[in-house]
Amino acid sequence: PHQLEIRNLHASVGDQPILKGINLVVPRGELHAIMGPNGNGKSTLAKVIVGDPEYTVTEGEVLVDGQNILEMEPDERARLGVFLAFQYPVEIPGVTIANFLRLAMQARKPEGEEVSFTEFYGKLTNALKTLDWDESIVERYLNEGFSGGEKKRNEILQMLMLDPNYIIMDETDSGLDVDALKIVAKGVNSLRGPNLGGLIITHYQRLLNYIVPDKVHVIVDGRVVQSGGPELAQKLDTEGYDWVKELTVASV
Ligand code: ADP
Ligand code: MG
Ligand code: MG
């Protein structure tokens, strides 16, 4: 099956359990929003999916197109087309955006297959156009001296270049003004279609006005406590998170 499936996922930091049995199925072709109060495991879920060594999976599976990725190295996960946009992007001194993009594209290729200049440059030109960004940007060093908005735009540039099968976006909207938010959304929406699935993690509903999710799930205390359509995000926006917190207590 072409889907991202999270099955009874439990994960800890040290001996502190954070994810307590997450179940989700995201078919390729759908983007699902993950919402929830702060400190309840949203970022942990994203990091476990991409294999952050800080977190220990104690139970459960993450299946990408039927393959359990939890035992895979990060580069194997990348080859399956899983892409994470971080809440706090890193700076890598001395590496230009162009070099970084080229290396990242190469990492997604099967062994022995080179990224051609034509492929690279063709994709780059299209992606920069979508993001309304000047070509000179790619000679700058990765994230060095970038504003928050530029860092986010650069992440979306990476996403467009890598042509992922699944994206995991963790609070890509945090700290963005409306113009930057619209550019991020334009980039993501340009990738949408039957070949793209993923999770859009966001505390606020605002981003979901521009990237309308197929489904919305709410995580409280390491579990999905409620799922619904885009109207669920609207409800959280107007009513806040108190009612979902009560819901967890009631259902225990
Ligand atoms: P969210 O993204 O929903 O705000 P997180 O997944 O970042 O929540 O965090 C969930 C809980 O796990 C919080 O209590 C947080 O302090 C804790 N946590 C997450 N990562 C770590 C870590 N690396 N070390 C210690 N505690 C962590
Ligand atoms: Mg947080
Ligand atoms: Mg978070």
Side-chain angles (χ1 to χ4, degrees):
H2 283 171
Q3 61 185 29
L4 168 66
E5 180 176 4
I6 297 162
R7 226 183 248 174
N8 191 31
L9 187 63
H10 292 248
S12 305
V13 173
D15 54 13
Q16 191 199 344
I18 297 172
L19 302 184
K20 302 174 181 174
I22 300 264
N23 290 292
L24 280 175
V25 177
V26 185
R28 215 190 274 181
E30 293 186 11
L31 292 180
H32 292 195
I34 303 289
M35 301 183 73
N38 279 323
N40 280 264
K42 301 186 300 297
S43 293
T44 300
L45 174 63
K47 289 179 194 161
V48 167
I49 294 172
V50 292
D52 187 324
E54 192 114 30
Y55 302 86
T56 311
V57 174
T58 53
E59 213 180 318
E61 292 173 310
V62 176
L63 302 163
V64 172
D65 299 341
Q67 294 185 68
N68 188 4
I69 63 168
L70 292 178
E71 298 299 318
M72 292 183 183
E73 298 297 324
D75 65 316
E76 290 176 84
R77 298 180 199 215
R79 242 175 269 138
L80 284 176
V82 179
F83 181 93
L84 175 82
F86 293 95
Q87 185 169 6
Y88 304 107
V90 288
E91 290 187 16
I92 307 183
V95 176
T96 63
I97 291 186
N99 282 333
F100 181 83
L101 291 174
R102 190 93 187 233
L103 287 171
M105 272 176 87
Q106 191 60 56
R108 191 144 153 36
K109 292 279 184 193
E111 227 147 307
E113 202 178 302
E114 292 282 314
V115 177
S116 73
F117 179 76
T118 321
E119 181 186 355
F120 177 74
Y121 197 73
K123 270 196 168 166
L124 184 63
T125 312
N126 276 330
L128 289 171
K129 206 161 137 194
T130 302
L131 296 175
D132 193 20
W133 227 2
D134 191 84
E135 205 175 298
S136 62
I137 196 76
V138 302
E139 294 312 323
R140 284 182 59 181
Y141 293 111
L142 192 65
N143 288 334
E144 243 181 70
F146 276 30
S147 70
E150 285 174 329
K151 285 183 185 176
K152 300 294 158 113
R153 188 140 52 154
N154 181 48
E155 283 191 346
I156 305 302
L157 175 61
Q158 289 170 32
M159 189 183 280
L160 295 180
M161 294 295 284
L162 291 179
D163 204 5
N165 299 330
Y166 299 96
I167 57 174
I168 316 288
M169 298 181 70
D170 187 12
E171 310 256 356
T172 307
D173 49 331
S174 67
L176 293 189
D177 61 29
V178 173
D179 290 336
L181 198 69
K182 281 183 182 164
I183 287 177
V184 165
K186 189 175 170 214
V188 173
N189 287 330
S190 78
L191 285 177
R192 278 183 97 161
N195 292 323
L196 183 75
L199 299 175
I200 310 291
I201 298 172
T202 179
H203 181 73
Y204 297 105
Q205 187 268 343
R206 190 174 72 131
L207 177 68
L208 306 179
N209 288 329
Y210 302 98
I211 305 173
V212 179
D214 296 287
K215 290 207 173 116
V216 176
H217 310 280
V218 182
I219 289 183
V220 175
D221 193 22
R223 295 183 188 91
V224 176
V225 299
Q226 184 86 305
S227 297
E231 74 286 348
L232 178 55
Q234 298 284 355
K235 183 172 172 173
L236 289 167
D237 192 46
T238 48
E239 296 181 21
Y241 279 108
D242 285 347
W243 68 276
V244 277
K245 290 182 202 163
E246 279 164 28
L247 192 97
T248 349
V249 175
S251 66
V252 165

